[in-house]
């Protein structure tokens, strides 16, 4: 009789422990999925912030080009703005690398846009070396604006 009670008690304890372990595994799997989703959302927010900052740089370049100040390779303000554009593009590139590591596929589609921004930056730096860079810079700044708008739509 005592053996039957011990066996029954052990089976009941085994059943409770096994169900608790299974439930913990299921809960852990759900938490892992939500954590990955939260990480993707955080990366997306950071990427949006970088896009907004890049738009502000674009507006600064636009205002500088509309002003009466001479634009040449020695214009400190323009050099700072183009440096900021390069920095923001590099930061967005890093976010894409992180999103690829974390398997956030919605951000990895932005790679072509970032490459376009970097290409436009290089063209702007080359145009700044010209004797009259205002017109080419204005055209490239318009290209930058359209590229940023496309990225915002895709985001």
């Amino acid at each position: 009789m005592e053996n039957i009670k011990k066996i029954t008690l052990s089976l009941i304890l085994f059943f409770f422990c096994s169900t608790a372990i299974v439930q913990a595994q299921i809960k852990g799997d759900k938490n892992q999925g939500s954590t990955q989703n939260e990480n993707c959302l955080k990366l997306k927010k950071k990427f949006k912030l970088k896009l907004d900052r890049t738009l502000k740089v674009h507006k600064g370049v636009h205002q500088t080009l509309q002003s009466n100040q001479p634009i040449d390779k020695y214009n400190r303000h323009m050099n700072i703005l183009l440096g900021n554009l390069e920095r923001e593009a590099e930061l967005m590139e890093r976010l894409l690398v992180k999103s690829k590591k974390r398997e956030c596929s919605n951000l990895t589609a932005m790679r072509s846009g970032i490459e376009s921004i970097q290409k436009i930056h290089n063209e702007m730096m080359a145009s700044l070396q010209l004797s009259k860079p205002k017109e080419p810079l204005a055209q490239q700044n318009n290209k930058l604006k359209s590229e940023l708008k496309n990225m915002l739509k895709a985001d």
Side-chain angles (χ1 to χ4, degrees), residues 64-119:
T64 303
L65 291 173
Q66 297 299 316
S67 70
N68 292 331
Q69 64 177 299
I71 305 294
D72 60 2
K73 62 183 174 183
Y74 303 109
N75 186 313
R76 185 169 189 252
H77 184 65
M78 185 59 78
N79 284 321
I80 289 172
L81 286 171
L82 293 180
N84 288 344
L85 178 63
E86 179 182 29
R87 183 176 141 265
E88 293 301 328
E90 287 175 0
L91 291 173
M92 284 190 282
E93 182 74 32
R94 288 183 196 158
L95 284 174
L96 284 182
V97 170
K98 283 183 184 178
S99 70
K100 189 173 182 180
K101 286 181 183 175
R102 295 181 185 175
E103 299 174 1
C104 300
S105 60
N106 54 355
L107 284 182
T108 54
M110 300 287 189
R111 180 165 305 284
S112 64
I114 292 174
E115 289 172 354
S116 296
I117 290 173
Q118 290 171 338
K119 182 180 174 186

Side-chain angles (χ1 to χ4, degrees), residues 7-47:
I7 292 173
T8 306
L9 183 59
S10 2
L11 286 174
I12 291 172
L13 287 174
F14 174 75
F15 176 74
F16 283 137
C17 290
S18 63
T19 55
I21 290 172
V22 169
Q23 286 178 352
Q25 286 176 346
I26 291 171
K27 204 175 218 183
D29 290 342
K30 286 181 182 177
N31 286 340
Q32 185 180 7
S34 66
T35 305
Q36 183 179 4
N37 200 14
E38 288 174 11
N39 287 338
C40 289
L41 288 175
K42 286 179 184 178
L43 282 175
K44 194 170 183 179
K45 278 185 180 180
K46 287 181 182 180
F47 192 82

Side-chain angles (χ1 to χ4, degrees), residues 110-143:
M110 300 287 189
R111 180 165 305 284
S112 64
I114 292 174
E115 289 172 354
S116 296
I117 290 173
Q118 290 171 338
K119 182 180 174 186
I120 291 169
H121 168 264
N122 292 338
E123 291 172 358
M124 289 176 119
M125 290 302 287
S127 295
L128 201 57
Q129 301 298 320
L130 300 173
S131 59
K132 294 185 179 184
K134 259 193 179 184
E135 293 170 15
L137 282 172
Q139 292 171 354
Q140 292 155 355
N141 199 39
N142 288 336
K143 278 195 242 177

